[in-house]
Amino acid sequence: GNSVTQMEGPVTLSEEAFLTINCTYTATGYPSLFWYVQYPGEGLQLLLKATKADDKGSNKGFEATYRKETTSFHLEKGSVQVSDSAVYFCALSELAGNTPLVFGKGTRLSVIA
Amino acid sequence: NAGVTQTPKFQVLKTGQSMTLQCAQDMNHEYMSWYRQDPGMGLRLIHYSVGAGITDQGEVPNGYNVSRSTTEDFPLRLLSAAPSQTSVYFCASSSTGAYGYTFGSGTRLTVV
């Protein structure tokens, strides 16, 4: 079956530090890949997505590249801000077929000033 | 445009009680899902639907029922609440599944 593995948290960084959150996946077909963000007390928001190999998703300074050869979709940001403190979820959905999102367990990021 | 609306936002139940968590979307999305979020467990799929009249079980369906009589609504029923069902519940919808889901703001349920 499909699964997503992401790095365990929590991750604590100083403001303006570089962020990487690792995500790898297992899928039987050709999945779309997503990063969702959950701010404290809120629901999940789509941060970025990629639907095929070598696609780069980007939003709000965050980037992730769909690497089929390494089955990875690592999230990066060059300079984090305190407002980036949240829980980040990697997820996948099959491009073909009627499959809902499958999530990783989430990584909590805390950015300190 | 309301998006995905979940009600109630908070609920406390006694063990054995039943209730329905409501989810409605106004985007004409075919795909809808229910997840529960527990500390350290991420989001786990309870039930999902690919259109009106079609539902299927997810990873953790026991103790929950769903129905999809309209495109807009996808209620989740707890048949006999148990403390293990204390969690935050999220409903999500999508037009295609493969291009991302829109999430509701969640229902925080406590079973005592």
Side-chain angles (χ1 to χ4, degrees):
Chain A
N2 298 339
S3 66
V4 175
T5 303
Q6 61 181 105
M7 62 186 289
E8 298 282 331
V11 174
T12 302
L13 295 174
S14 297
E15 208 166 23
E16 299 183 3
F18 185 86
L19 169 71
T20 299
I21 301 177
N22 290 337
C23 172
T24 57
Y25 67 90
T26 301
T28 54
Y30 300 95
S32 292
L33 301 174
F34 307 90
W35 279 99
Y36 279 83
V37 59
Q38 184 179 34
Y39 298 102
E42 298 184 9
L44 278 75
Q45 302 175 23
L46 179 63
L47 181 60
L48 53 85
K49 67 178 184 287
T51 58
K52 62 182 187 296
D54 299 325
D55 267 2
K56 177 184 284 187
S58 62
N59 186 25
K60 299 182 180 179
F62 291 90
E63 292 182 340
T65 300
Y66 190 141
R67 301 289 188 197
K68 188 178 179 182
E69 64 275 14
T70 55
T71 62
S72 65
F73 193 55
H74 305 321
L75 182 68
E76 296 182 336
K77 187 175 185 182
S79 176
V80 293
Q81 305 300 312
V82 172
S83 57
D84 294 326
S85 298
V87 181
Y88 293 82
F89 292 93
C90 186
L92 70 80
S93 178
E94 291 282 2
L95 191 58
N98 302 322
T99 61
L101 285 171
V102 174
F103 284 91
K105 292 187 177 182
T107 302
R108 182 176 299 278
L109 170 67
S110 295
V111 180
I112 55 177
Chain B
N1 192 347
V4 178
T5 302
Q6 291 185 239
T7 56
K9 292 191 181 301
F10 301 94
Q11 183 70 50
V12 178
L13 288 179
K14 294 183 178 179
T15 298
Q17 286 185 318
S18 62
M19 80 160 293
T20 299
L21 308 185
Q22 301 292 343
C23 176
Q25 52 90 9
D26 61 358
M27 298 172 284
N28 201 33
H29 285 172
E30 291 295 325
Y31 296 84
M32 297 187 75
S33 305
W34 275 103
Y35 293 86
R36 58 177 290 173
Q37 183 179 24
D38 303 294
M41 301 293 290
L43 279 85
R44 294 182 291 170
L45 182 67
I46 304 171
H47 286 285
Y48 65 101
S49 169
V50 299
I54 306 170
T55 64
D56 206 348
Q57 296 182 350
E59 180 184 357
V60 289
N62 292 341
Y64 308 94
N65 273 356
V66 291
S67 60
R68 185 95 180 270
S69 56
T70 67
T71 299
E72 294 77 21
D73 300 300
F74 191 43
L76 178 71
R77 297 183 186 84
L78 279 70
L79 309 173
S80 177
S84 60
Q85 294 178 304
T86 294
S87 187
V88 181
Y89 291 85
F90 288 101
C91 178
S93 74
S94 177
S95 57
T96 65
Y99 293 97
Y101 277 73
T102 301
F103 280 77
S105 58
T107 295
R108 184 174 295 274
L109 175 69
T110 302
V111 183
V112 298

